[in-house]
Amino acid sequence: MAELPGCCRPCATCLLCLYSCRWISAKKEKRKGLRTTKCDCSWFLFLFCVFLFTLVWLYFAIVILNDFHNFNEFIFKQRKLWLDWSLVLLVPSSEVSLFFLQVLALSLQLCGEPLKLHWVHKSLLIVTTLVVAAAFTGLGIKWAEEWRSARISLQATGPFLHIGLVGGMTFLAWPLASFIYRSRNTGLKVFLLLVYCAVMIALYLAPLMITSPCIMEENQLPPKPALVGHRGAPMQPATRMIRVCSFASADGVPFLMHDEKLTRTTNVQAVFPERASLNSTAFNWTDLQQLDAGSWFLERRPFSTVKSLSAGDRKQASKQKIPSLEQVLEAAKQSNISIMFDLRPENHTDYQSFVNATLDAILQSGIPLQQILWLPDGFREQVKQQVPGVQQVYGRKRLQNEKEPLLHVNLPYQDMSSEEIRQYRQDNISVNLYVVNQPWLFSVLWCAGVSSVTTNACQVLKEMKHPIWLLVSETSILHRPCYVAVACHSPVPQAVVGLLLQWPSAAVWRVGFAQHCAGRC
């Protein structure tokens, strides 16, 4: 079998051994007549497809990390088992193995060696395909809204994915040329060339069709969105509002709790084992005050920011009790922080009494009513009459011919497009989107002009002084559209930036630091 210049025999033998688990010398290879059959080519194609399939899954898994706390809570409610399932989601072993096999196969092709994939590797491919397909299917059934999250993520990652694809296709040109040179099938040669050229043309034109709210001049960037602390997040200086889920105890005391049951966030199973499965509204206030509502946060670490807590914060968290609404209102009043109320459960038979008790607590606290935002739809008219100064927040989009214009809306971030956010901003409608935890998502919504975001990661987002990147539209000397990605706050190595700035395509995404912002394509 012919050898390419520069491909030493020991290296080729080693590659063949790793790929096919056959340690065979050049003489034995020639004597046995090893060659790549049609079946071997099919397995190579299957390897390439599974590699791409798994790579898409890995990207999708990284995207849905923003919402993975919901999945952890869902599993806990079903199985009463707490585990950070994101660690399982991102197990990279199969992806690394497939990447290793893919590189081996391309290297063998360049060296002119036969592609004899071992049965162990074939089994790995089949198992990986089934696992990833099952994961996609399960998420599609139980968590279909995450497909919209993936589409939003392309507004942030599109230009960099494009650069990666162009680089990958350029790398593939070498083994592809080697295969075409050796192949005697003219039809296959023409087919591969046409497919490769079509893909490259599509990649060349891709920037013309990629849109992002972060394509703007830096002086057009909207103000940074306010941070709304989800679940009553710590009242930090950068947190201008907290969103709380309020319940009422059996004896009518309003208190804060996210879940309807107490099992996930308190030690109710140890203190009241016979009543642990009851809703929190079945307990009186005296019983609720006996529960430890802070130690679980340190033990289970539901959010990655737990590790950044100081020793003092950890000590304070370990002594945390279930807070009453009165205590929270007093703290918000002193800190000048607004509170968005989400009163639950709305289907409770005594819901009206919950509303009355909450309104009484608000009025008695003396907190300025403009700091109160009311989200529940139940008894909204009554709330407007009793406390007319409270700001009304609606969990829906505005309707045509709306009798009373909306001033505040609160929606999942997947439900509002960038165009709608811009339109609402022009119409002076405050838009709060939830739940936003990842910097890339926060950057996209910041560029779109959202007013505020509800987040579990106040400690992370408050440190952001600028979106991760801006895409500044420019026009080249040849009057062809191109883009400069101003990665002024992106941790991109300068050597990589220098390489990308020399990219030969006139319609390609380019990356530069702040000092290069004034440059041209």
Side-chain angles (χ1 to χ4, degrees), residues 304-330:
S304 59
T305 51
V306 175
K307 60 185 178 183
S308 64
L309 293 177
S310 64
D313 291 337
R314 290 175 179 273
K315 184 177 180 180
Q316 183 179 1
S318 64
K319 298 179 180 180
Q320 182 66 50
K321 300 292 183 181
I322 296 176
S324 68
L325 179 57
E326 180 183 354
Q327 295 170 333
V328 175
L329 288 169
E330 183 60 31

Side-chain angles (χ1 to χ4, degrees), residues 78 101 124 209 216 220 227 323 347 360 370 372 389 408 410 447 459 500 510:
Q78 299 296 321
L101 285 176
L124 173 64
M209 295 172 283
M216 63 172 66
Q220 297 175 343
L227 302 180
N347 59 353
D360 289 342
Q370 62 268 23
I372 304 298
H408 306 276
N410 179 69
C447 294
Q459 300 95 325
L500 295 176
R510 304 188 180 191

Side-chain angles (χ1 to χ4, degrees), residues 282-388:
F283 293 79
N284 60 44
W285 181 241
T286 303
D287 292 340
L288 292 174
Q289 284 297 282
Q290 298 181 43
L291 301 178
D292 176 2
S295 296
W296 72 277
F297 189 78
L298 301 176
E299 295 169 357
R300 295 175 178 172
R301 299 189 175 189
F303 308 114
S304 59
T305 51
V306 175
K307 60 185 178 183
S308 64
L309 293 177
S310 64
D313 291 337
R314 290 175 179 273
K315 184 177 180 180
Q316 183 179 1
S318 64
K319 298 179 180 180
Q320 182 66 50
K321 300 292 183 181
I322 296 176
S324 68
L325 179 57
E326 180 183 354
Q327 295 170 333
V328 175
L329 288 169
E330 183 60 31
K333 179 182 175 181
Q334 295 178 1
S335 304
N336 193 29
I337 290 178
S338 299
I339 301 181
M340 183 187 299
F341 279 90
D342 189 3
L343 193 60
R344 300 181 182 180
E346 292 196 49
N347 59 353
H348 198 281
T349 54
D350 293 330
Y351 188 71
Q352 185 171 7
S353 65
F354 295 171
V355 173
N356 293 333
T358 301
L359 296 180
D360 289 342
I362 292 173
L363 293 173
Q364 292 175 10
S365 69
I367 188 173
L369 295 182
Q370 62 268 23
Q371 290 180 226
I372 304 298
L373 293 89
W374 190 265
L375 181 59
D377 285 327
F379 302 97
R380 190 183 291 274
E381 294 303 320
Q382 174 189 334
V383 174
K384 290 180 180 179
Q385 294 176 5
Q386 289 188 232
V387 280

